[in-house]
Amino acid sequence: MARTDKMKLGTFVYTFGFHPASWLHPASNVNGANDFQHLLNVAKRSEAAKFDFMFMADSPAAAVGDPDALARIPTKMNRFEPLSLLSALSVTTQNLGLVATVSTSYCEPYNVARLFSSIDHLSGGRACWNVVTSDHDETGYNFNREGLDPHALRYERGNEFVDVVFGLWDSFEDGALLLDRENGIYYDKAKHHTLNHKGKHFQVRGPLNIARTPQGRPVIAQAGGSEPGMDMAARTAEIVFSLASSIDRNRAFYENVKARMPAYGRDPNDLKIMPGVVINVGETKAEAQAKVDYLIDKMHPDVGRLMLSEFLEADLRGVPLDKPFPMDRLPAAPKGSRALFDELVDFVRSGRTVGELIRHYAEKHTGNGMTGTPAEIADFMEEWFETRAADGFILMFPTLPASLDDFVRLVLPELRRRGLFRKEYEGSTLRENLGLSMPANRFAKTRA
């Protein structure tokens, strides 16, 4: 059956762009990591294009690893704290959704509930929390831990964390604020609720000291392809950021997650599956490929070694670039995409050098994306959308704002010509623009 809804689009934001050499691009702002105007510029351009949201990826710690390579990669080493940034963007934009990553492993539910409620009020209903449990050892070293907690424990804590935040967001019902000056009553005490949560990981009395937000509660985003991750998404998420490496894999993921939702009393239409894709577009295929080659040529070999080392979970420091890849450094299984891992193994077995493998991985490292003309990019996106492998895309532009501008100038008109993407925003809140239902307040629902 043909779709009647529109494709959803978001801008994925690392400061300079998704490519590790993006800060070396002559069109980038080399001071952008600490320049609010740079990120406001990206937000304004995304908003002018009628994108649904801007997605601030984050880790609350600097990276660890080869210091020579890290000195050449500014992304994790110098960046804004995302909620501070969203607060500033909330009053300098009008329609764009604002998504920030905050980990359940290193925060308290009450703080997170209060912060996101405040941003939702400040923005008029455009806040979204990207829920993560964290997957990098370096974060734990700053929060009383030696690396990561076990995967199962992180998800157990994460699920309880989200439940507590949802409960706090229901502290005030809709219409609880009476603002009755004549009788001196500010709010209806019957519509104000104390949570009194006592669980395995958290004890939170509540109530939250801020009224119900314009969206009922901020939108929830989540990523994760593990069984606990997919279950958590089906139970709580409204946007899922996937990184499946092919249309068939993502269609299977799409069907799997949405099929779990009815068991939690949820409508599958209240979840938007949005794979992250790297887009390189040019007037011609050769022009698009030249943009890819330029950034790869700019990338220092130490950076390439570090990227490949993280994917393979193998230390490649000092391995000669002009020699065949040492087979004993290949793990039995990948940290990320299996399809991409298998492709790299075949590449290695063909006798290619370490330098050639680094270059190949630099081009393919998300395992997902498209390099081509506007029509080819639009064909790619339309097929994923119409065959229900995706409800939209989180666009991981190699450089910002240059790649974003290329997409808006070249691809967006083609998507609109095909009737796939909006010309104007449908509503004033992120929830309205995504086509998500208003969440019921648990206390009001129980009383009814």
Side-chain angles (χ1 to χ4, degrees):
M1 184 187 300
R3 300 187 71 144
T4 57
D5 57 336
K6 300 292 186 187
M7 187 182 291
K8 310 304 177 187
L9 296 177
T11 302
F12 183 94
V13 179
Y14 281 157
T15 303
F16 307 98
F18 187 70
H19 198 282
S22 58
W23 71 281
L24 299 171
H25 195 281
S28 71
N29 174 2
V30 74
N31 297 306
N34 308 117
D35 182 356
F36 173 68
Q37 291 302 317
H38 164 66
L39 291 161
L40 177 60
N41 182 29
V42 172
K44 290 285 192 181
R45 293 176 191 222
S46 300
E47 186 169 74
K50 313 301 179 188
F51 281 16
D52 290 87
F53 55 79
M54 175 172 167
F55 186 107
M56 298 301 304
D58 185 63
S59 172
V64 295
D66 179 2
D68 292 326
L70 292 174
R72 300 177 183 276
I73 313 175
T75 302
K76 279 191 177 184
M77 310 311 288
N78 182 20
R79 63 166 95 175
F80 281 115
E81 188 284 313
L83 295 185
S84 303
L85 177 63
L86 258 58
S87 296
L89 290 171
S90 71
V91 295
T92 49
T93 55
Q94 286 74 48
N95 300 105
L96 187 69
L98 303 169
V99 186
T101 301
V102 173
S103 175
T104 59
S105 296
Y106 307 112
C107 298
E108 289 291 324
Y110 192 90
N111 296 115
V112 170
R114 193 166 184 238
L115 286 162
F116 274 102
S117 288
S118 297
I119 294 170
D120 207 44
H121 279 288
L122 287 168
S123 65
R126 295 181 286 123
C128 174
W129 172 27
N130 178 39
V131 181
V132 300
T133 64
S134 296
D135 62 356
H136 296 292
D137 283 338
E138 61 255 27
T139 309
Y141 300 138
N142 298 308
F143 292 91
N144 258 352
R145 295 168 176 83
E146 287 296 326
L148 280 175
D149 289 334
H151 186 271
L153 175 61
R154 297 201 312 275
Y155 269 95
E156 180 184 85
R157 175 188 164 98
N159 275 297
E160 185 181 342
F161 192 114
V162 172
D163 288 343
V164 174
V165 171
F166 280 13
L168 290 169
W169 280 338
D170 284 344
S171 295
F172 282 91
E173 294 181 33
D174 292 316
L177 299 187
L178 299 176
L179 312 181
D180 183 351
R181 286 175 165 170
E182 184 175 343
N183 294 299
I185 301 175
Y186 187 78
Y187 66 84
D188 182 348
K189 65 181 182 182
K191 294 184 176 182
H192 186 236
H193 305 280
T194 301
L195 183 61
N196 285 322
H197 174 88
K198 291 186 179 181
K200 181 175 180 180
H201 299 279
F202 302 105
Q203 180 172 316
V204 182
R205 188 193 69 177
L208 192 65
N209 61 342
I210 187 167
R212 192 159 167 86
T213 76
Q215 299 190 98
R217 65 172 181 245
V219 172
I220 297 296
Q222 196 247 337
S226 67
E227 276 295 314
M230 288 190 287
D231 227 42
M232 188 177 186
R235 191 172 71 87
T236 64
E238 292 158 310
I239 300 169
V240 167
F241 175 32
S242 67
L243 266 178
S245 57
S246 72
I247 187 171
D248 291 335
R249 287 172 182 267
N250 216 75
R251 191 180 296 115
F253 176 83
Y254 183 106
E255 292 170 357
N256 188 334
V257 174
K258 293 210 176 194
R260 299 174 188 230
M261 295 177 69
Y264 296 109
R266 298 188 64 206
D267 183 341
N269 290 322
D270 277 331
L271 175 61
K272 306 303 175 187
I273 306 287
M274 299 180 67
V277 293
V278 177
I279 299 293
N280 291 281
V281 62
E283 298 276 7
T284 65
K285 184 89 170 180
E287 180 186 307
Q289 186 61 46
K291 293 176 181 180
V292 176
D293 294 339
Y294 178 86
L295 287 172
I296 293 175
D297 288 341
K298 283 285 186 183
M299 189 176 72
H300 193 276
D302 287 344
V303 174
R305 280 195 189 93
L306 180 62
M307 288 172 59
L308 192 58
S309 295
E310 289 177 348
F311 181 74
L312 296 176
E313 295 189 301
D315 188 354
L316 300 177
R317 278 180 284 187
V319 175
L321 297 175
D322 59 350
K323 301 294 184 184
F325 188 91
M327 296 298 291
D328 61 351
R329 302 283 181 104
L330 276 177
K335 182 179 180 181
S337 165
R338 180 81 217 187
L340 180 57
F341 176 75
D342 291 343
E343 182 178 335
L344 294 183
V345 170
D346 289 341
F347 196 87
V348 166
R349 286 176 176 160
S350 69
R352 303 298 184 94
T353 66
V354 172
E356 289 173 322
L357 180 64
I358 287 172
R359 188 177 184 90
H360 185 69
Y361 180 68
E363 183 171 351
K364 304 283 188 181
H365 73 282
T366 66
N368 206 7
M370 183 69 186
T371 297
T373 65
E376 288 173 328
I377 302 294
D379 287 345
F380 168 86
M381 296 174 75
E382 182 174 16
E383 184 183 11
W384 282 59
F385 180 67
E386 291 292 356
T387 63
R388 287 176 168 77
D391 296 310
F393 300 90
I394 298 177
L395 300 169
M396 305 165 82
F397 295 113
T399 59
L400 286 171
S403 300
L404 167 61
D405 290 343
D406 289 343
F407 182 89
V408 170
R409 178 174 59 89
L410 297 172
V411 180
L412 216 54
E414 181 64 17
L415 294 177
R416 287 185 171 133
R417 186 187 68 77
R418 301 182 189 195
L420 294 170
F421 189 65
R422 67 166 66 90
K423 294 181 180 178
E424 296 295 338
Y425 286 107
E426 294 84 2
S428 60
T429 69
L430 176 58
R431 190 172 291 280
E432 289 170 328
N433 290 326
L434 288 171
L436 302 172
S437 63
M438 192 78 164
N441 182 290
R442 69 181 63 189
F443 298 107
K445 187 176 179 180
T446 299
R447 189 171 66 250

